[in-house]
Amino acid sequence: MQYFFYGLAGAFLVFQILYTFIPLLCSKVKKLNPDLAEKSISVLVPAYNEELTIGNCIDAMAALRYSNYEILIINDGSKDGTLSALNELLDLRPDARMADGKLSYKPIKGFYRSDRYRHIYVINKVNGGKADSLNAGIDYALSDIVITLDADSMLEADSLRYVNQYFHDDDIIALGGTVKIVQGAMRDKNGVILEKFRGRGLIKSQIINYTHGFYVRKLTQSYFNSIVVISGAFGAFYKDVLLQVGGFRSTVGEDIDITLKIHEYIKANGLKKKLVYAPEAVCYTECPENLPNFYKQRIRWQKAFIDCILIYWSRLSKRFSVKVSLFFAIDGFMLGTLSAFTTVFYLGQTLIVGGNILHAVIFLLVSVLLNAAQILISFYLCRKYGSTYTFWDYMKMFLFSQAELLTYRNLLLYINIAGTFKYFDNDEGWGFVERKGVAAISQNMAAGSN
């Protein structure tokens, strides 16, 4: 076991070096080209019990600087007042649009169009889960490009313009945008979104986690065309590709599954296509504010990963590119999940029967230094791509990031282990995390209003 741990440590260092230098050396900010034709875009928003947050999502979309788009909100049999809130916000009227009939999903109760916002539609359906709702949205969508968005997500005003610009590259088949934490963000009187590093420790930890995860990890994976998951909070795809791969699978982690299905589709058809990260396309999301909801969310993410490991592991070498296989199998599974078990085992063995303490200390110090370097790089890129944190915010963020190595980071270690075991509970529901709807980036709506 000791040699296996050393092998993992070596692989860890290789990937951490990649995550340190690739984002720093290979990132480039894209400037908006105002002369590009607008491709048609359908934004799909699956919603289950989102009466407190759906208003913020709609209001942010009302401020989008784009014209050739539609919004499809899919009410998945909500048990709260989501449908009533939608009717109050949108002034809904029945619409005669018919579905393509190319995907399967639970029965549709009604299709409606807003009298207040003529580009917003609502699908009311029987509860079937998030993947089922997305398939319904795809089937009703009229556009070439489909964006999937969580109901608590709020698009930044130029986000669709950036999505459009990326899809003018014929090699791009799908992309993921940047997801930021809305707590602490607000618009000033000039419409500029101001970001502040504030809130509870759990919120601060997630701000740092998202900043590092997107600006360091996503940028590196995008460089190698090896993005393992396009976040369900903000992803964009060609509709015909989603149809070709059979839509979303009803599973605990539909976003990672659809990403891998598209990689598999590219390899099977010998295509020279890319899945990329678009850092300039931004949306804001409300993160969990307490440990029970944080735990539920992260357990669901880990269960989603284990599900895809079991589904795709046996065909990695044949149906996926080498780079995707390496990032998924080694960086994702071995260094993300398996290392949690081996770390606990190695530490327990060292404490009980003794071991090479010096090696463990050296590895810990190297890990801390690489983590510190990546955090600093993520802050540099965060600033480079337009974030408005002040210098003192970044100072506080860095100091907090070092302190959380011994607190929230260890909680994630436990969640990786617990989520792996809990996968076998066979619970594949929405994994609903309570939202308060008290944070928004809109100038037009008071946060938390319906």
Side-chain angles (χ1 to χ4, degrees), residues 54-67:
I54 197 65
N56 292 335
C57 179
I58 292 170
D59 204 52
M61 290 188 192
L64 292 173
R65 290 189 279 264
Y66 204 77
S67 58

Side-chain angles (χ1 to χ4, degrees), residues 55-63 117 154-155 182 185-188 191 193 284 439-449:
N56 292 335
C57 179
I58 292 170
D59 204 52
M61 290 188 192
Y117 304 100
M154 291 152 272
L155 290 172
V182 73
M186 60 180 293
R187 286 188 186 272
D188 66 10
I193 297 177
Y284 290 82
I441 60 170
S442 173
Q443 290 176 297
N444 306 317
M445 178 178 290
S449 65

